Amino acid sequence: MSDVPALLINMVALKAGARIMEIYASDFAVEAKSDASPVTEADAAAERIILEELAKLSPSTPVVAEEAVSVGVIPQTDERFYLVDPLDGTREFVSRNGEFTVNIALIENGVPVMGVVFAPALGEIFWGDASHGAFKASVENGKIGPQVALKVRKAPTKIVAIGSRSHGSAETDAWLSRYEVANFVAAGSSLKFCRVAQGAADIYPRMGRTMEWDTAAGDAVLRAAGGLVTTLDGMPLQYGKRARQDAIDFANPYFVAYGDLGLKKD
């Protein structure tokens, strides 16, 4: 476990989030990256802040950050490294629905052992680690309010499923047909993991492309709240995936985020 506590990483996320909100309030431009995904000034500005702050707090720990990777800046990753998505849910940012997050996670031996997810437009921050559990708090005027412990709920007979607002798929609908689903909630960014962690939803299947920086922080929060994220064959989602013949570095396979682990089916 890192010697940098999650509460200090929260401060890094708040600083990045404040800059994001300044840009959110402006007439910002939207560009397209090589994979056709959108990117804005806010992505780059937030990442600069996070990289600078993490270098002060934990100078010996490598940082894999989305925008740096997109231009080929990829550090060596050993047993421990940070995974950063400075603005997860850029499509939500562009559409101005508020469902975007700052994601910072610490990976140790392929496992997300600490994560912070900050939704600056919603004034919500979530954090968790393997030793202390998961928590949520409101953020107002740059200050974090009282923390509330998070715990996944025991799933009812008819569950609440949550999924992507921008990346739904027929495969996801087909996979969910094995359950009695009372309600399906759409949400953006890594907030989906956090809603499962806080008991607002029971399951989040993702049958579509994601990258490790999209999922690691939310995964850490969910695991700390008693849930788990697995591949479709039931194995825990791993991080630091590189040099594979069948996939690009840091790409995730399809996965399912479970609150109540009793929902896992073969």
Side-chain angles (χ1 to χ4, degrees):
M1 180 67 65
S2 171
D3 55 359
V4 179
L7 292 178
L8 281 181
I9 303 301
N10 283 357
M11 297 301 104
V12 177
L14 289 186
K15 188 171 182 178
R19 181 66 183 120
I20 287 171
M21 292 308 294
E22 290 174 357
I23 297 169
Y24 192 55
S26 71
D27 186 18
F28 57 83
V30 182
E31 300 177 359
K33 293 194 284 192
S34 60
D35 63 358
S37 62
V39 65
T40 72
E41 177 190 350
D43 297 76
E47 185 162 300
R48 282 194 298 271
I49 290 169
I50 295 168
L51 292 177
E52 289 170 1
E53 295 301 317
L54 289 180
K56 297 174 188 175
L57 291 172
S58 192
S60 63
T61 305
V63 182
V64 175
E66 180 181 12
E67 303 313 320
V69 171
S70 71
V71 295
V73 180
I74 309 172
Q76 285 296 114
T77 51
D78 297 316
E79 292 84 5
R80 175 188 292 184
F81 66 98
Y82 287 106
L83 266 170
V84 169
D85 190 339
L87 178 51
D88 183 32
T90 302
R91 286 182 173 84
E92 321 308 329
F93 181 85
V94 170
S95 64
R96 297 181 187 275
N97 68 20
E99 293 184 336
F100 51 86
T101 57
V102 177
N103 297 344
I104 305 173
L106 180 69
I107 309 301
E108 290 186 352
N109 299 310
V111 177
V113 296
M114 184 274 292
V116 172
V117 175
F118 176 39
L122 303 181
E124 294 179 276
I125 190 165
F126 303 82
W127 68 95
D129 67 51
S131 299
H132 301 96
F135 302 89
K136 174 187 182 294
S138 296
V139 177
E140 191 171 344
N141 298 321
K143 304 293 184 182
I144 297 177
Q147 66 185 37
V148 177
L150 300 182
K151 192 71 177 174
V152 300
R153 71 176 184 174
K154 181 173 176 56
T157 302
K158 294 185 177 181
I159 65 171
V160 175
I162 194 166
S164 175
R165 186 177 298 284
S166 301
H167 302 280
S169 73
E171 282 180 282
T172 300
D173 295 339
W175 189 90
L176 273 173
S177 66
R178 68 188 68 192
Y179 295 97
E180 290 190 71
V181 178
N183 191 25
F184 181 88
V185 179
S189 70
S190 57
L191 283 168
K192 296 180 284 293
F193 295 97
C194 299
R195 300 304 180 214
V196 177
Q198 69 183 131
D202 302 297
I203 199 166
Y204 162 38
R206 182 58 181 265
M207 315 303 161
R209 172 177 164 141
T210 59
M211 302 299 289
E212 292 184 7
W213 43 78
D214 298 318
T215 62
D219 187 344
V221 171
L222 178 55
R223 294 192 198 204
L228 185 64
V229 182
T230 76
T231 59
L232 296 189
D233 60 6
M235 299 301 293
L237 189 61
Q238 292 287 305
Y239 292 84
K241 302 183 290 292
R242 305 183 74 164
R244 295 169 294 169
Q245 292 184 344
D246 59 340
I248 65 172
D249 287 356
F250 306 111
N252 286 324
Y254 292 178
F255 65 81
V256 183
Y258 296 94
D260 184 347
L261 298 185
L263 289 170
K264 291 177 64 179
K265 296 182 180 183
D266 295 331

